[in-house]
Amino acid sequence: MEMAKRASSGHKLGQIIGDWYEEYFAYPILEAVAKELNLYLDSRFKTRVCRGEKLIWEDVDGNKVDYDFVLELGGTDEKQGIPVAFFETFWRRGSRHSKDKARDDTGKLLPMKSTFPTTRVLGVVAAGDFTTPAKDLILSRGVDLFYVAKENVISAWKEHDLIIDYSDESSETEKKRITNAVVTALKKDPNLLKNIAHTLGEIITPRSIESYKLRLIGRIGAIPQKYTVQVQSVSSPIEFRKYTEMDSFLKNGEPKINSLKKKQFYNYQVEFTDGDEFVRENLNWDELKSMHENLKELIKKME
C-alpha cells in the first residue's frame, strides 16, 4: 500500500510536468511551423469536431496508433488531411529505461514513414534525463530529435519559485509536499504554465528554437528529385491435386509468363533532395495513383 502511495505522488507530478511540456512548450513551436507552411496541426489541445479525443492513424499493416501531434495538409477539426509529420513528446525525471522509451516511441513513428509518401518528418520532442544511447537510438532510426536537458526544465520552474525535483531516496511525504506546492501555485496563477514555458525558451535560447523550426521547415519542404516505378506481373495460383499432375507440369518446361493469367502490381520509390526516400511495394493501380496524387499535392503546396 505504501508503494502505491509513493508511486501516486511521483506520477502526479510527472504528469503535470509532462502535460505542461507538451501543451505550453512543444505545441506553440509546432503550431508556428504549421502556420508558416499553412498546414493543420492536429493535437489534443484543439476542438477536434467529430475526430475524437485521440489522434488515431492506421499504418500499412492495419494497426491503429495514436500520436501527440500530426501536421496535415488540408486537415481540419472535422477531418484528417494528408499527413506530413508525426511527433511524440515526453518528459522523463530519471534516466532509467531511457533506451526502452526511445525504442517504443520510434517504433510507433516509423510505420508512418512507410505508409505515406507525404510523411516528411518523424519527430520526438523530449525533455528530462535522457541517456546518450537513447538519443543515439532515435537518431539512428532516422527520427528527428529536439531535446531539452533536465536541468534546464528544473531551472525554468525554479525561476518561478517552484521545486519539481527530488532524490530517489525522498519519502512519500516529501514528494507529496513538492507536488502539493506545484498544484497550489498553478491554481493561484492561470498564466503560470505559459510563463514557465517562456522562461524555458529563454534558458535554451530563442535561437535554438528558431533553428529547430527552420530544420523542420527545410525537411518538410524537400522536393522529390527522382521517381521510380517498377511493374510486377504475378500469375494466378496454379493448383494441382496429385503429385503426378505436378510432375506433368514440370516436365513440360518453364511456362511463358504471358501464357499465364496475370495480375499487375507496382513498386513506387521517391527520392528527395534531403537524401530521404519513400518505398512501397505491391501496390495496385489505384493505390499507386492515390499515393502519387497526395504527394503531388504536397509538392505543389511547398512550391
Side-chain angles (χ1 to χ4, degrees):
M1 191 69 176
E2 180 64 25
M3 286 182 65
K5 288 182 180 179
R6 182 157 51 245
S8 177
S9 288
H11 177 77
K12 183 176 181 179
L13 181 60
Q15 191 70 50
I16 291 172
I17 307 303
D19 288 347
W20 157 79
Y21 183 72
E22 182 179 345
E23 181 174 7
Y24 290 92
F25 186 79
Y27 175 62
I29 294 174
L30 297 178
E31 180 69 4
V33 173
K35 288 181 178 179
E36 177 71 22
L37 297 175
N38 197 20
L39 299 172
Y40 175 83
L41 178 65
D42 195 14
S43 77
R44 64 190 178 97
F45 308 114
K46 287 189 173 180
T47 305
R48 303 170 65 252
V49 183
C50 303
R51 291 190 65 173
E53 294 181 2
K54 293 185 177 182
L55 285 61
I56 303 294
W57 286 82
E58 187 172 318
D59 67 22
V60 66
D61 296 319
N63 301 309
K64 295 182 178 180
V65 186
D66 65 288
Y67 297 94
D68 291 332
F69 296 100
V70 183
L71 277 170
E72 303 170 9
L73 175 62
T76 68
D77 291 345
E78 289 81 17
K79 67 180 181 70
Q80 285 184 335
I82 298 171
V84 176
F86 294 83
F87 298 89
E88 285 292 292
T89 67
F90 63 83
W91 150 259
R92 292 187 70 83
R93 190 192 72 83
S95 62
R96 190 179 181 188
H97 304 309
S98 286
K99 202 166 183 180
D100 290 338
K101 178 62 176 171
R103 188 176 292 107
D104 289 345
D105 277 8
T106 53
K108 283 181 64 177
L109 291 163
L110 287 173
M112 291 298 104
K113 196 65 176 288
S114 57
T115 302
F116 302 102
T118 53
T119 300
R120 302 301 304 120
V121 175
L122 302 175
V124 170
V125 185
D129 195 351
F130 206 46
T131 65
T132 297
K135 288 182 280 188
D136 289 344
L137 176 61
I138 290 175
L139 296 173
S140 70
R141 290 187 165 188
V143 175
D144 187 271
L145 175 64
F146 185 84
Y147 169 67
V148 179
K150 177 181 177 180
E151 54 265 30
N152 290 328
V153 175
I154 293 173
S155 296
W157 283 76
K158 193 172 183 180
E159 286 285 329
H160 295 266
D161 301 319
L162 287 172
I163 303 300
I164 61 167
D165 196 28
Y166 49 83
S167 69
D168 292 338
E169 293 75 27
S170 295
S171 65
E172 172 60 19
T173 300
E174 176 64 9
K175 294 177 183 178
K176 189 173 183 179
R177 183 191 67 77
I178 292 173
T179 302
N180 288 343
V182 169
V183 171
T184 300
L186 295 179
K187 286 181 179 178
K188 288 181 179 179
D189 185 356
N191 295 315
L192 185 54
L193 290 173
K194 183 177 181 180
N195 293 336
I196 296 172
H198 176 77
T199 299
L200 178 59
E202 292 296 317
I203 290 174
I204 66 173
T205 75
R207 184 175 181 178
S208 66
I209 295 174
E210 189 62 25
S211 176
Y212 175 57
K213 292 178 185 176
L214 292 174
R215 185 167 83 228
L216 293 181
I217 291 170
R219 293 191 63 180
I220 292 170
I223 302 299
Q225 59 181 343
K226 184 179 180 182
Y227 303 85
T228 304
V229 175
Q230 289 183 314
V231 183
Q232 293 181 320
S233 295
V234 181
S235 73
S236 298
I238 305 172
E239 298 180 350
F240 305 98
R241 298 295 180 184
K242 300 177 181 178
Y243 76 85
T244 53
E245 295 175 356
M246 182 67 183
D247 286 346
S248 297
F249 171 74
L250 295 174
K251 288 176 181 177
N252 290 331
E254 185 177 0
K256 302 293 184 182
I257 196 68
N258 56 11
S259 68
L260 302 176
K261 188 177 180 181
K262 299 177 294 182
K263 289 184 179 180
Q264 208 144 270
F265 296 93
Y266 303 86
N267 295 346
Y268 183 49
Q269 179 177 353
V270 184
E271 299 176 27
F272 294 85
T273 52
D274 63 352
D276 196 15
E277 69 175 16
F278 170 83
V279 179
R280 273 289 293 278
E281 299 180 344
N282 300 321
L283 299 169
N284 62 39
W285 183 249
D286 289 337
E287 290 171 334
L288 176 65
K289 289 197 299 182
S290 177
M291 284 193 174
H292 186 68
E293 284 300 316
N294 286 344
L295 182 58
K296 184 173 70 176
E297 189 172 338
L298 176 62
I299 294 167
K300 290 166 67 177
K301 178 75 173 178
M302 292 302 103
E303 288 178 341

